[in-house]
Amino acid sequence: MKNIANFLSKSIIFKHKTQNEINNILSSIKYIIKSYDKGDLIFSVEQPAEYIGIILEGCIEVQKNLASGKIVTILYKKEGDLFGEGSVFSKTNTYPCNIFSKTKSKILIINKENMLYLLNSDTYLLSNFLTSLSNRVLLLNLKTELLSYSSIQQKIAFSLLYLMDEYRHNNVIQLPYSKKRWSEHLNVSRPSLFRELKILCNQKIIDIENRKIVILSEDALINILHN
């Protein structure tokens, strides 16, 4: 794969590093780059947690198998994101979830020893890595809070309020994924999501055009959470 440093410059762990610096860093460790097709399994549940992935191209999906047999999508990750880091440095020593390639993707894979070498040799990389790990914990906490809401409208309201912080331009949100993926993230059916979105539109709380969502009343969304 040509010019890996160009892809890695999008990653949080190499933030503020030039492409020459990234190339020098890579020359000091061993790593592999693997290509995956849509739906391919990257890391499996209970597999020994020995590797950390950095997404060069594409998108991955983290899924949890519940005791009931239901499969829940925990989160998605995109180009530049790390995955597997929490498992590699935990005491469980295995991956708790299945990680699939959501689209065609290319992943840079580093083992634990080489990652430790990088973190010990560069304080900027260490700081960036800790930021990435903290963001991961925050996202999981948000997911847990999302699942605590009982009604679909509450889940939608919570999700929209979060997206307003991440993807808002004025009062407009550009949904970063399809409505199908959104329904999976909310753990609701797509027809149910569409029905509740239509109700919110009729109530003049939001307006929707494809992936563009206009927030007409932020206060109304907040009130939904407390009802």
Side-chain angles (χ1 to χ4, degrees), residues 110-131:
I110 309 174
N111 67 20
K112 181 177 180 179
E113 289 71 24
N114 281 283
M115 180 59 73
L116 282 172
Y117 174 81
L118 290 184
L119 300 180
N120 285 328
S121 63
D122 192 311
T123 56
Y124 285 104
L125 293 183
L126 176 59
S127 177
N128 291 339
F129 179 82
L130 292 175
T131 298

Side-chain angles (χ1 to χ4, degrees), residues 9 21 31 71 74 81-82 116 137 180 190 193 199:
S9 63
E21 288 173 328
Y31 62 89
I71 299 174
I74 303 297
D81 288 342
L82 281 74
L116 282 172
V137 171
K180 180 179 183 296
R190 187 163 55 169
L193 173 63
I199 291 172

Side-chain angles (χ1 to χ4, degrees), residues 8-59:
L8 289 177
S9 63
K10 303 172 186 176
S11 176
I12 186 172
I13 195 171
F14 293 104
K15 187 178 180 181
H16 302 315
K17 293 291 184 181
T18 66
Q19 290 192 27
N20 284 336
E21 288 173 328
I22 294 173
N23 283 324
N24 289 334
I25 290 168
L26 292 178
S27 68
S28 67
I29 62 167
K30 293 181 180 180
Y31 62 89
I32 59 174
I33 295 174
K34 295 188 69 174
S35 296
Y36 295 90
D37 289 325
K38 180 179 179 180
D40 283 353
L41 181 64
I42 302 173
F43 297 150
S44 64
V45 66
E46 300 303 330
Q47 173 186 339
E50 301 171 336
Y51 301 100
I52 293 169
I54 302 177
I55 305 170
L56 301 177
E57 294 180 339
C59 173

